[in-house]
Amino acid sequence: MKRDMVHVLIVMGIGVLASWVLVGCQGKTTDPPGPPEKVTLAYTTNPNAALVQVALKKGYFAAEGLAVSPQPHLFGKAALDSLLEGKAALATMAETPFVFAVIKGANVFALGTIQTATKHEAIIARRDRRISNPHDLKGKKIGVSLGTGGEFFLDSFLTINGIEERDIKVVDLPPDNMIEALLKGNVDAVACWHPNLIRLQKELGSRGITFYAEFAYTETFILAGNKDFVRKNPGVIVKVLKALVSAETFVKE
C-alpha cells in the first residue's frame, strides 16, 4: 500500500474511532468505589511503550482503580496478535500493523497515541558488502519484519531514494533474528528499530553504516483495544488513559 494512503487511513481511522470513546463516556455518572476493574494489557518491552511500562512500575493503573494483567511482548505486532486472538483487551503497537489489521476487517479500536519518533527506525548495513550510501543497497538482501512499521519504513526509505522494491531482495525476518542474520552475513542490511538498532551499531562499529529517513517517516505508536470491550467499558478506558497521562507527566518531569 502506498504510504500516503496509509497515513490518510491512520489519521481518519484514529480520529473517528477515538471519538466513539468520548461519545460513550458522555452522560456517565461517577460510580461509587468498588473492587479494581480487571483488564489485560499486551505491550511491547521496547521503548515505544515506555508510558505503559512507567504506569505499571509506578502503580498509576492501580491508583485509578484498575487491576491490570500485564502481557509483555518483544514487539508491537506480537502484542496486536494477542489482541486479535482475544488474549488481551488492550494492546500497544505501531500504526502500520494496526492499519493492516483494520483493512482486513479486524475488530480493533484506536484509543490514542502514546509515542512518536522520527529516528526509532533505520536501515543498518555492512560496509564490507560495499555499502556506503543508500543507492548501494540495490541488488542487496535486506532483512525486515513484514507487516510491521519496519516494512513501512523500508518502503518510505526506498521511495525517497528512488529505489524500486524490485531492485532489492527482501528477506522476511522476525525482530529477534535481525541481529544474528546481519552479524553472520545472511543479509547485507536490515530495517529495524531500537533496541536492535543500537545493539547492531555497537556490534558492527565502523564496519556498519546507518541510514535514517527522519523526514520521510514518523513512527506513531498507539494504544488500541477490542471494539466490543471498549464500547462496553468506557469507564475502564478513561482510567487507562488517565494512568498513561500520569506516566507522561512523570516522564516529562
Side-chain angles (χ1 to χ4, degrees):
M1 171 174 290
K2 296 297 184 181
R3 64 180 186 281
D4 289 343
M5 180 58 71
V6 173
H7 279 148
V8 169
L9 286 170
I10 292 166
V11 173
M12 293 178 63
I14 292 179
V16 172
L17 293 174
S19 69
W20 294 353
V21 177
L22 298 178
V23 172
C25 293
Q26 291 178 353
K28 295 288 182 180
T29 57
T30 302
D31 296 326
E37 297 176 276
K38 298 180 180 180
V39 59
T40 301
L41 173 55
Y43 67 99
T44 173
T45 53
N46 288 335
N48 321 68
L51 295 187
V52 171
Q53 298 164 26
V54 170
L56 287 168
K57 184 70 174 180
K58 300 293 291 184
Y60 294 141
F61 291 122
E64 294 295 336
L66 297 173
V68 172
S69 296
Q71 194 182 93
H73 295 272
L74 290 177
F75 59 110
K77 188 174 182 298
L80 171 60
D81 289 340
S82 181
L83 177 64
L84 297 177
E85 293 167 5
K87 298 177 181 178
L90 305 174
T92 66
M93 71 219 61
E95 80 292 343
T96 302
F98 173 79
V99 169
F100 286 156
V102 171
I103 291 172
K104 294 178 181 178
N107 191 41
V108 291
F109 190 116
L111 298 168
T113 299
I114 60 173
Q115 180 248 17
T116 59
T118 57
K119 297 183 72 174
H120 184 68
E121 312 221 16
I123 293 174
I124 182 165
R126 296 174 56 127
R127 290 183 182 273
D128 60 359
R129 297 296 172 85
R130 298 181 180 179
I131 301 173
S132 59
N133 64 70
H135 293 283
D136 292 335
L137 293 171
K138 289 184 177 181
K140 300 299 194 294
K141 292 189 293 184
I142 302 179
V144 63
S145 297
L146 297 180
T148 69
E151 181 184 6
F152 188 74
F153 170 82
L154 177 60
D155 177 71
S156 300
F157 182 86
L158 295 176
T159 299
I160 64 172
N161 285 285
I163 302 173
E164 298 289 339
E165 187 173 347
R166 63 174 179 267
D167 294 332
I168 65 170
K169 181 178 181 181
V170 173
V171 180
D172 187 13
L173 290 174
D176 49 345
N177 287 358
M178 290 280 184
I179 295 176
E180 182 180 16
L182 186 59
L183 293 180
K184 287 188 174 181
N186 297 331
V187 292
D188 306 303
V190 294
C192 65
W193 52 78
H194 293 294
N196 283 350
L197 178 58
I198 195 167
R199 287 182 60 188
L200 281 169
Q201 288 172 332
K202 291 180 177 179
E203 288 281 352
L204 291 173
S206 61
R207 296 180 295 123
I209 184 169
T210 304
F211 302 114
Y212 293 99
E214 53 189 301
F215 300 111
Y217 174 63
T218 298
E219 179 188 70
T220 304
F221 219 73
I222 66 172
L223 174 71
N226 173 275
K227 280 185 181 180
D228 296 331
F229 178 86
V230 172
R231 287 169 175 161
K232 293 177 182 178
N233 301 277
V236 171
I237 302 306
V238 170
K239 292 177 181 180
V240 170
L241 295 177
K242 288 176 67 177
L244 294 178
V245 169
S246 296
E248 183 180 37
T249 299
F250 174 82
V251 170
K252 287 182 176 179
E253 292 177 351

